[in-house]
Amino acid sequence: MEAMIGRLYAQLLDAVMRDGAGEGADPARWWQGAIFYQVYVRSFRDANGDGIGDIAGVTEKLDYLAGLGVDGIWLSPFYPSPQVDFGYDITDLRDVDPIHGTLDDVLRMLEAAHDRGLRVIADFVPCHTSDRHPWFRESRESRTNPRHDWYVWADPGPDGTEPNNWLSSFGGRAWTWEPRRSQYYYHPFLACQPALNLRNDDVLREMIDAMIFWRDLGFDGFRLDAVQCIGWDRNLRSNPARVPDEDDVEVGGGPNNPFSMQVHLFDRDAPFGQTVLEKMRSEICPPGSDAVLIGEMADLDSTRLAVKYTAGDTRLHAAYDFDLIQKTDSLHRWIDTLQARSRYIGDGWLMNVLTNHDTVRAVSALAGEAVEAGFRTEAAKLLLFLQATLRGGAIIFQGEELGLPQPQLDREDIEDPWGLNLYPDFPGRDAARTPFPWSSSAVNGGFGEGAEPWLPMPDAHRPLAADDQDGDPGSVLSFVRRLLAWRRTMPVLRTGGDDVCDPDGRPLLRFERFGGGERLRIVANLGTEDLRLASEGQPLDFPTQNATATADGLTLGPFGFAVLDHARA
Ligand code: BGC
């Protein structure tokens, strides 16, 4: 019954809101259903040979990026930073770290990207700065200085301990003592990332002005970091306890991080966060502007939160659907997640993300055993196919278009402070951040000529390098290019609604996309055992994998998928 009501609601909404899919669609809504590519600048291409990726390296590779057929790119932080959290600890919100280049390099990159029809969004960190930011240096000096309440300060409890029980998702307490003020400051991540007090109008003004600065330089919008942390309880109430469960697969570093032993009722997602986003949206994206705000919200009930923050037209335009990576350890568990979200998504907008610089590469995380058994290419193509066809937009993390598996790093290669805090329970995020393999034969895999890359080029990635996949029609890279070109001919995939069917206990993902008078039926085998489907109709010639149609049905082999028909009303 619930499924039926959900379906009717989805169809009604689709009819009302999305009927213009494709022709006549509002160009200001370019972001709806768009496919982005995440460039982790530090590890993408090192143009000046110092071992660290840079903006000039991004510019060099824009033809490659445009050739993939993505709508835009998202650049991870390039601002001045001591790099303790690799750029997410910022000391100047309006400049470029010299290790990544200069403002001129950014302007050149923006122009060249726009010339190629690529949108560019910048990572922006609204919740905290580095402890070396001049604002924090001043704020920590005394309780009376002009910036004394630009960060979240609180007195100790009566016994001298922290003001409440809040924990950092990166391990340990979320409060650090400042003797100069005899107070604690709050930091939901590292102690060197003090939380900004966005309740202070001057602080919010500075943040909005910094975003306007980048927008006016030519950025098409922002990926807002850790949006769940913008709003915290004004009364600093302690979080209730909870017993970690299996859904915690990756949340906050996994079930062994004490962070997962609390319900994050008071340190996350306070209503104030939404007010902040409303102000940002109205100033940064006024009517007539086509700038976009895409939220990153992890470590909670992510999909529901993403829907809440994107419904209506007043806060975020779109947000990551983290449940696809955070709350699942295998593709089989996706079906329930997708069925549930299709019922409550309403007019929320999600970005399908399967991995990023914080998590494990998708084929290894979602199909690890099958990859070991030799199905890496098939698994990678299936995952990209789903990113391109599931409802919403998508963000493809660099290297996913090559189907890279998660490499093994040695303990001494770990640089990530989160990994160093929680090792060996959580080995950190470095393995997802290794340098991009451009060439199987060039020095440093083509990442840069000169100094050793900041993280090792994994041996397992060299044979999968972009130059080797380039001319191979069976490669993952060739598949993505064709897939995204095909997607551009299917407006229903950008903006249409969806209906996810019951799989009858099998690892079968069967869903429909509909809107604008079009309808597509899609089937996918999320496992390696053959699945037989009764007379499903004739698959399109492309995109398809391991799908064999016979007179009485369709067989889907390992990670097989097919698009069954394309009906236009
Ligand atoms: C970013 C991380 C970063 C954290 C703190 C995130 O969610 O993606 O890389 O460490 O925010 O800024």
Side-chain angles (χ1 to χ4, degrees):
M1 185 61 174
E2 200 195 339
M4 204 174 83
I5 295 173
R7 183 179 174 163
L8 286 175
Y9 177 65
Q11 287 179 347
L12 186 69
L13 254 178
D14 177 64
V16 174
M17 304 197 58
R18 302 167 195 262
D19 209 40
E23 277 172 54
D26 179 356
R29 297 192 165 254
W30 63 271
W31 50 271
Q32 287 189 332
I35 302 226
F36 285 93
Y37 182 97
Q38 179 191 352
V39 177
Y40 190 69
V41 178
R42 205 180 160 84
S43 304
F44 190 60
R45 163 77 185 147
D46 170 19
N48 68 355
D50 65 355
I52 296 174
D54 39 48
I55 299 289
V58 178
T59 311
E60 241 183 58
K61 297 295 183 185
L62 284 172
D63 284 333
Y64 172 86
L65 295 172
L68 292 175
V70 294
D71 298 285
I73 58 177
W74 144 36
L75 297 185
S76 22
F78 46 76
Y79 315 96
S81 160
Q83 304 290 331
V84 181
D85 192 22
F86 301 107
Y88 286 91
D89 46 330
I90 297 167
T91 50
D92 184 348
L93 290 159
R94 297 182 188 212
D95 207 347
V96 178
D97 194 301
I99 62 169
H100 294 312
T102 61
L103 265 178
D104 280 342
D105 289 340
V106 168
L107 291 174
R108 268 192 291 275
M109 179 274 302
L110 285 169
E111 194 183 346
H114 291 152
D115 283 350
R116 289 164 177 75
L118 287 171
R119 303 275 188 164
V120 187
I121 64 173
D123 214 316
F124 191 82
V125 184
C127 306
H128 51 260
T129 64
S130 161
D131 61 350
R132 295 183 222 172
H133 194 293
W135 300 341
F136 188 71
R137 286 184 192 275
E138 186 174 346
S139 190
R140 76 188 316 175
E141 278 301 322
S142 70
R143 293 186 185 207
T144 49
N145 68 71
R147 294 204 165 82
H148 70 276
D149 65 346
W150 278 43
Y151 292 83
V152 186
W153 293 100
D155 292 333
D159 59 356
T161 58
E162 292 83 352
N164 62 26
N165 70 356
W166 295 356
L167 296 172
S168 155
S169 56
F170 283 5
R173 293 283 192 172
W175 295 96
T176 291
W177 180 249
E178 172 49 72
R180 280 166 282 190
R181 296 180 52 136
S182 290
Q183 279 186 315
Y184 287 96
Y185 67 88
Y186 172 50
H187 50 86
F189 298 98
L190 299 171
C192 68
Q193 292 167 304
L196 283 160
N197 177 15
L198 292 163
R199 286 195 160 88
N200 178 322
D201 288 342
D202 295 338
V203 179
L204 185 53
R205 183 72 267 141
E206 283 284 354
M207 300 312 274
I208 291 177
D209 285 349
M211 292 166 85
I212 290 175
F213 168 81
W214 292 107
R215 184 203 64 190
D216 291 350
L217 281 187
F219 278 93
D220 298 287
F222 301 92
R223 174 265 193 198
L224 287 179
D225 184 61
V227 166
Q228 75 277 4
C229 295
I230 292 181
W232 32 267
D233 179 45
R234 184 191 279 280
N235 299 314
L236 304 181
R237 281 170 287 182
S238 279
N239 286 323
R242 79 184 272 274
V243 179
D245 65 31
E246 58 176 19
D247 283 343
D248 297 337
V249 183
E250 277 297 331
V251 177
N256 290 325
N257 184 355
F259 183 81
S260 61
M261 295 167 68
Q262 294 184 356
V263 183
H264 292 278
L265 195 57
F266 296 117
D267 57 341
R268 298 280 194 274
D269 181 33
F272 174 70
Q274 304 209 26
T275 311
V276 168
L277 292 175
E278 279 160 13
K279 286 195 184 143
M280 286 182 170
R281 171 84 175 246
S282 65
E283 292 211 35
I284 294 152
C285 324
S289 138
D290 61 0
V292 65
L293 300 181
I294 298 178
E296 184 233 18
M297 282 175 289
D299 73 29
L300 280 167
D301 193 355
S302 301
T303 312
R304 281 183 192 275
L305 199 70
V307 168
K308 175 169 129 186
Y309 277 71
T310 58
D313 259 341
T314 56
R315 295 178 293 269
L316 297 171
H317 294 84
Y320 291 36
D321 185 358
F322 254 114
D323 282 359
L324 297 181
I325 37 179
Q326 297 256 65
K327 287 205 176 168
T328 185
D329 52 6
S330 84
L331 265 173
H332 292 208
R333 285 175 59 184
W334 263 27
I335 296 170
D336 290 346
T337 306
L338 292 171
Q339 272 190 312
R341 81 172 198 184
S342 125
R343 283 180 212 132
Y344 64 71
I345 189 168
D347 67 340
W349 277 94
L350 300 179
M351 301 301 285
N352 294 301
V353 281
L354 306 189
T355 186
N356 62 24
H357 64 290
D358 293 328
T359 62
V360 176
R361 285 199 171 273
V363 285
S364 302
L366 296 165
E369 278 179 27
V371 169
E372 294 294 310
F375 293 106
R376 184 194 56 83
T377 304
E378 290 84 349
K381 288 182 183 175
L382 170 73
L383 291 173
L384 289 157
F385 170 74
L386 293 175
Q387 272 193 290
T389 54
L390 285 170
R391 179 173 181 168
I395 306 175
I396 298 173
F397 178 48
Q398 66 183 43
E400 292 298 286
E401 78 279 23
L402 305 177
L404 299 182
Q406 182 84 346
Q408 286 289 332
L409 291 190
D410 295 334
R411 170 72 178 79
E412 54 274 17
D413 289 324
I414 296 180
E415 300 263 358
D416 177 18
W418 190 2
L420 294 170
N421 281 350
L422 297 178
Y423 193 87
D425 281 339
F426 177 63
R429 301 165 290 178
D430 305 278
R433 301 174 175 182
T434 53
F436 190 97
W438 291 104
S439 158
S440 55
S441 54
V443 61
N444 297 329
F447 168 66
E449 300 77 40
E452 288 279 300
W454 73 285
L455 283 174
M457 169 66 62
D459 289 340
H461 286 182
R462 276 181 187 272
L464 304 175
D467 66 348
D468 272 16
Q469 295 203 27
D470 193 28
D472 171 3
S475 70
V476 182
L477 179 59
S478 299
F479 172 75
V480 183
R481 288 174 176 155
R482 217 177 143 196
L483 175 71
L484 297 188
W486 170 79
R487 187 180 190 266
R488 283 176 183 270
T489 67
M490 295 285 166
V492 64
L493 291 176
R494 289 183 85 99
T495 53
D498 72 341
D499 184 23
V500 182
C501 307
D502 203 333
D504 307 323
R506 295 189 290 172
L508 170 66
L509 179 59
R510 191 199 304 242
F511 60 101
E512 293 188 1
R513 299 294 313 277
F514 47 81
E518 293 183 82
R519 178 171 298 271
L520 285 179
R521 283 190 306 141
I522 290 159
V523 288
N525 180 356
L526 303 187
T528 51
E529 305 287 320
D530 283 4
L531 289 179
R532 282 212 41 83
L533 282 65
S535 56
E536 289 284 349
Q538 194 58 32
L540 300 185
D541 291 342
F542 184 87
T544 185
Q545 168 168 265
N546 291 343
T548 317
T550 56
D552 60 340
L554 181 75
T555 301
L556 291 178
F559 299 124
F561 56 79
V563 180
L564 288 167
D565 47 28
H566 176 221
R568 275 185 215 274

